[in-house]
Amino acid sequence: MNPSTALCVGLLFVSPLLLAQTPPDKLGDVKAQGGQQLSLDELRALLPGAKVFSFTRAGSTRSWSNDPDGTFVASSDSRGKMQRPSRGHGTWHIGDNATYCVTIEWSSTTEQWCRYLFRLGDRYYGTKSAVDLSSEAHALEISR
């Protein structure tokens, strides 16, 4: 086998390995790595009582536990910001369109979003769109 053929064959085997090790940052990446969208029934089984860790692009980790009454208290290490760790009161619900919706009242701002959830291995990714492959994918760890 000549060197350029060997290189091409090698890239065919290495490329999927590299892709699998790169955390996805777009919905297209999540889907390309085998991520599956959670249904309304799967969200209803997973989210009540779940412990959630949310990771921001700035490097901050936020966490909360979804209380059955739709409330929670969130904490953030505020990494990537020039602030001290903080806490906020929040609410959560599952939208009729199979989205996970969260509102958090931090001391200086209100955070509000709804995301479609995709499972990829032991991680979840939230996206604003379930079809726009360029939609940002935000990493979440969800456990019960």
Side-chain angles (χ1 to χ4, degrees):
M1 182 180 320
N2 70 41
S4 51
T5 303
L7 176 62
C8 289
V9 170
L11 288 175
L12 287 174
F13 289 105
V14 172
S15 295
L17 294 175
L18 292 176
L19 181 63
Q21 295 173 357
T22 304
D25 64 353
K26 302 286 183 199
L27 175 58
D29 301 328
V30 172
K31 287 186 171 186
Q33 293 181 33
Q36 297 293 312
Q37 183 177 352
L38 274 67
S39 69
L40 189 56
D41 287 339
E42 288 172 315
L43 292 174
R44 288 178 177 152
L46 174 68
L47 293 172
K51 178 77 174 167
V52 179
F53 288 89
S54 170
F55 306 96
T56 69
R57 297 261 183 259
S60 181
T61 300
R62 296 101 44 85
S63 64
W64 60 86
S65 292
N66 289 335
D67 290 339
D69 68 355
T71 65
F72 60 81
V73 176
S75 62
S76 173
D77 59 15
S78 298
R79 275 188 256 153
K81 297 180 179 183
M82 299 302 286
Q83 298 178 7
R84 293 180 290 190
S86 58
R87 295 176 66 84
H89 291 275
T91 60
W92 71 274
H93 72 275
I94 299 168
D96 292 337
N97 60 345
T99 53
Y100 175 42
C101 300
V102 169
T103 301
I104 306 173
E105 296 290 339
W106 300 106
S107 60
S108 61
T109 188
T110 299
E111 177 179 343
Q112 186 171 12
W113 47 262
C114 289
R115 299 284 187 265
Y116 295 93
L117 293 186
F118 290 80
R119 181 181 10 242
L120 180 59
D122 63 350
R123 275 254 166 117
Y124 295 87
Y125 292 88
T127 61
K128 288 182 182 178
S129 170
V131 294
D132 178 0
L133 299 180
S134 66
S135 182
E136 285 190 28
H138 298 274
L140 299 164
E141 285 181 12
I142 303 173
S143 60
R144 300 204 28 91

